[in-house]
Amino acid sequence: MKLRLSVLLVPALLAAGCGPLTGDEAPVVDELTGQVLQEATTKYDMHRLLEDSDVTGGTAITPAQVQQFLQQQGSYLAGYTDPAYGKTAATLIVERSRASNISPLYMLARIQGESSLIQSGTSTNLSKATGCGCPDTSGCDAQYVGFGKQVECAAKKMRGYLTDLEAGRATISGWKVGVTKATSDPCSVKPVNMATAALYTYTPWVGAYATQCGRTTVGGSSLMASIYNRYLTAYPWPTSAEGCYSGTVDATVQEASCVQSSSDALWRQCLSGTFTAGGTVKPSNCTVSFPYCQSTRLGRGVPTRTCVQTSSTVWQQCGAEGVWRSSPGAGTTGVGPMGACYAVYAL
């Protein structure tokens, strides 16, 4: 699948690595997007664009920190709430990324590289924020239109590529660690790690920010390395976590905690600061668990933080270990003892 490419339009964070054009130099325009590329003074090895931990790390990053970063950049997303999800852009970036064990910081770079939304004060390209399912030659696939859907799509795509690579398989487009393959520039690239192979699967161009080869009039996957490394030092991101952030719980849960995800009902366990891949069976060694709570009134199970009215005066919220907790104000405030209601079911 060919995915939309874009460029870093605002130079504020690039002072250390990419400078503006000077003198009588003609601007270089991305031949795929028509946008102006910044001149690169820091470039990256096309065989090792990012580390695996760059793409899968960031477990300690919270929605509040992403929100602060968006505000710092003057981003339109700082004031955006996705109507389809009822959640802020910052929450969706963290929640949807971590649900697929993808770093929110990588996702910020992906959004900027594809749509410039992180550093733009306008909503242009909002519906195709990550370029996922959006070929250059046509519009976006309807199932992926919308900010939250775009973030979720990008996270799931990267997770799928990494899962194949972790199993020793090539990705859907044939990229594999240690195997040479031609990009669309064209360049002969031999990825030395899974992150690099996954990046080329998502965007099969080296682009203008590599030390070797690369089409100078395309941003390409090397642009992801450039943006990621600028963003890494542009904000005091936490470097480690005592546990894992869970979008389902909307909090950082302790090591060895188990969460039944609100997105797919699969169980994931926090191990060494990262959630494991999802499974249908709850792990046997959970220090604490956050399963679905069984609701007699609804006749089914519902995720942690769900708020349900059971009588004219009684509200409850699904809590740890599948226990319903009294939540008298949920009907008016949308908040219970576990925090904001994941969903609200009134009589």
Side-chain angles (χ1 to χ4, degrees):
M1 178 171 61
K2 187 179 180 184
L3 297 167
R4 176 180 172 85
L5 306 176
S6 187
V7 298
L8 190 61
L9 294 178
V10 181
L13 290 181
L14 297 182
C18 297
L21 297 169
T22 59
D24 297 325
E25 298 174 10
V28 178
V29 177
D30 190 313
E31 64 187 60
L32 297 180
T33 67
Q35 300 184 62
V36 176
L37 288 166
Q38 293 293 312
E39 182 181 4
T41 57
T42 298
K43 295 192 175 186
Y44 301 87
D45 181 356
M46 69 179 184
H47 306 291
R48 194 185 196 104
L49 294 175
L50 289 175
E51 299 302 316
D52 293 348
S53 59
D54 293 335
V55 176
T56 62
T59 57
I61 294 175
T62 66
Q65 291 162 344
V66 172
Q67 178 65 26
Q68 290 175 350
F69 181 73
L70 293 174
Q71 291 172 340
Q72 172 186 307
Q73 302 310 309
S75 174
Y76 170 82
L77 296 177
Y80 179 72
T81 297
D82 190 318
Y85 290 79
K87 297 179 179 181
T88 66
T91 296
L92 288 169
I93 289 169
V94 175
E95 180 184 280
R96 297 297 87 209
S97 297
R98 294 314 314 163
S100 294
N101 286 344
I102 296 298
S103 169
L105 182 53
Y106 159 79
M107 189 59 66
L108 287 168
R110 175 58 67 184
I111 293 169
Q112 177 63 22
E114 299 289 349
S115 63
S116 299
L117 278 167
I118 302 302
Q119 293 175 243
S120 171
T122 72
S123 61
T124 303
N125 296 324
L126 183 67
S127 64
K128 47 189 177 182
T130 66
C132 197
C134 302
D136 294 305
T137 55
S138 63
C140 296
D141 188 320
Q143 66 178 315
Y144 301 130
V145 173
F147 182 78
K149 291 180 180 179
Q150 279 284 293
V151 174
E152 184 167 22
C153 175
K156 286 184 174 180
K157 292 291 184 185
M158 285 298 286
R159 172 43 50 197
Y161 305 153
L162 292 170
T163 296
D164 284 337
L165 293 164
E166 288 164 358
R169 300 186 295 267
T171 66
I172 189 171
S173 58
W175 287 97
K176 190 175 182 180
V177 175
V179 176
T180 302
K181 181 175 169 60
T183 64
S184 297
D185 298 84
C187 300
S188 293
V189 176
K190 186 177 182 179
V192 300
N193 58 18
M194 293 184 292
T196 301
L199 287 173
Y200 285 123
T201 303
Y202 198 105
T203 304
W205 296 76
V206 171
Y209 299 84
T211 55
Q212 325 93 319
C213 194
R215 188 77 67 88
T216 59
T217 55
V218 173
S221 282
S222 62
L223 179 61
M224 289 300 101
S226 179
I227 302 173
Y228 177 89
N229 282 287
R230 299 305 175 270
Y231 284 5
L232 181 63
T233 58
Y235 182 87
W237 304 107
T239 57
S240 63
E242 294 181 359
C244 306
Y245 176 79
S246 166
T248 296
V249 183
D250 195 23
T252 297
V253 299
Q254 66 189 50
E255 178 75 7
S257 295
C258 300
V259 179
Q260 189 176 14
S261 175
S262 59
S263 63
D264 55 19
L266 296 180
W267 282 97
R268 294 177 171 84
Q269 186 173 30
C270 176
L271 296 177
S272 301
T274 302
F275 277 113
T276 59
T280 57
V281 179
K282 176 184 174 182
S284 60
N285 60 336
C286 307
T287 53
V288 62
S289 63
F290 298 88
Y292 279 30
C293 293
Q294 295 303 311
S295 170
T296 301
R297 205 212 107 192
L298 298 177
R300 58 185 172 84
V302 292
T304 295
R305 295 192 295 115
T306 299
C307 297
V308 178
Q309 185 179 17
T310 58
S311 73
S312 61
T313 59
V314 177
W315 279 86
Q316 295 179 317
Q317 185 177 41
C318 177
E321 309 300 344
V323 176
W324 288 99
R325 301 180 62 180
S326 176
S327 183
T332 55
T333 66
V335 176
M338 292 291 294
C341 300
Y342 169 74
V344 177
Y345 296 94
L347 289 174

